[in-house]
Amino acid sequence: MRVLIVEDDPDISKGVETALRHEGYQTETAFDGEEGHKLALFNSYGVILLDLMLPKKDGRQVCRELREAGVSTPILMMTARDDVPDRVEGLMSGADDYLVKPFAIEELLARVMALARRDSLLRSAKLSLGDIELDTTAQSVTVEGRPVQLTQREFALLEALLRNQGRVLTREAILERVFNNDEALPNTVNFHMSSLRKKVDPDSKWIHTVHGFGYSARS
């Protein structure tokens, strides 16, 4: 499972990242609210660990904007402010749980596990648009009910498009957020998108090119 850590204190973020990876989680880290917001919008995570006091955009604002955008990923708010009004405000902004600093790593891990388990029971693993259906649990894709074999890159690209229906994903965002900058060739995104379209949308009914910007999945 992938966990997003949004924390501006490098010592805390490193400690949390080390503990999570030791337990088998994959992690990504953002050090300000704007970067955390972008990562959470463009990628799929099992849990988001979100600090309250962040540069550029605070945790409450990030949380509210993610919920308004339809992102339902469980959010664990982390903060040194333990007054009841602060905790209530954090939860009212859309957080699922609240952890006060300093915290024991064992408690953090237990809360992450509980949020992930609860979310797996509530959230559908299937995404669809028109004739296309993607199952994140089975790692499968069908078009008009027929199975389609995709590469790992194509599957990740299709998942990102379906999770952000109606939004434009720029080539730069896809390269950075979806492919994690693993491929730096200028035509990387175009190549994978062309291959994906041939397999799932040869008539370009659902996946659209937004010239000068990127791509958008919409009906």
Side-chain angles (χ1 to χ4, degrees):
M1 183 184 78
R2 297 172 71 197
V3 177
L4 174 61
I5 305 163
V6 189
E7 167 63 65
D8 64 321
D9 186 313
D11 293 330
I12 294 176
S13 63
K14 185 63 176 178
V16 170
E17 180 182 41
T18 299
L20 288 169
R21 290 191 173 185
H22 185 266
E23 294 299 316
Y25 296 101
Q26 296 177 309
T27 63
E28 286 188 74
T29 302
F31 294 98
D32 63 67
E34 287 185 359
E35 179 70 7
H37 181 252
K38 291 177 183 177
L39 284 171
L41 276 179
F42 287 116
N43 295 289
S44 176
Y45 300 98
V47 174
I48 297 171
L49 306 182
L50 181 62
D51 187 30
L52 179 61
M53 303 300 293
L54 290 165
K56 297 186 179 180
K57 187 180 293 188
D58 69 40
R60 282 188 294 263
Q61 184 180 354
V62 172
C63 194
R64 281 196 300 270
E65 291 179 1
L66 289 176
R67 295 309 188 219
E68 289 169 358
V71 176
S72 60
T73 306
I75 294 175
L76 173 60
M77 192 82 79
M78 305 181 300
T79 179
R81 298 168 62 175
D82 62 350
D83 292 339
V84 171
D86 291 322
R87 282 181 279 171
V88 170
E89 189 174 354
L91 293 170
M92 291 298 290
S93 68
D96 298 273
D97 200 357
Y98 203 97
L99 187 59
V100 177
K101 302 176 184 177
F103 48 78
I105 286 295
E106 293 80 7
E107 181 180 5
L108 172 73
L109 293 173
R111 288 176 182 260
V112 168
M113 186 180 299
L115 286 174
R117 183 169 59 244
R118 185 176 70 186
D119 186 57
S120 68
L121 296 174
L122 297 176
R123 187 166 64 167
S124 171
K126 293 185 178 181
L127 304 168
S128 63
L129 175 62
D131 301 326
I132 305 169
E133 184 170 285
L134 180 147
D135 189 322
T136 60
T137 301
Q139 291 286 291
S140 64
V141 173
T142 61
V143 177
E144 296 182 341
R146 296 188 299 273
V148 176
Q149 296 298 317
L150 300 182
T151 66
Q152 183 179 359
R153 282 276 186 269
E154 291 163 357
F155 189 94
L157 181 52
L158 181 60
E159 181 179 353
L161 287 166
L162 295 185
R163 287 194 183 280
N164 292 275
Q165 291 182 39
R167 301 190 188 101
V168 176
L169 301 187
T170 65
R171 292 174 178 83
E172 292 76 13
I174 292 170
L175 190 62
E176 181 181 353
R177 317 294 183 192
V178 182
F179 296 166
N180 297 317
N181 284 325
D182 290 339
E183 299 180 55
L185 296 176
N187 292 324
T188 291
V189 175
N190 293 350
F191 172 79
H192 290 294
M193 182 64 75
S194 176
S195 179
L196 173 65
R197 279 173 148 169
K198 289 176 182 177
K199 294 179 180 181
V200 303
D201 188 27
D203 298 324
S204 298
K205 292 191 298 183
W206 314 113
I207 301 174
H208 304 274
T209 300
V210 182
H211 294 288
F213 292 95
Y215 303 94
S216 177
R218 62 182 186 272
S219 56

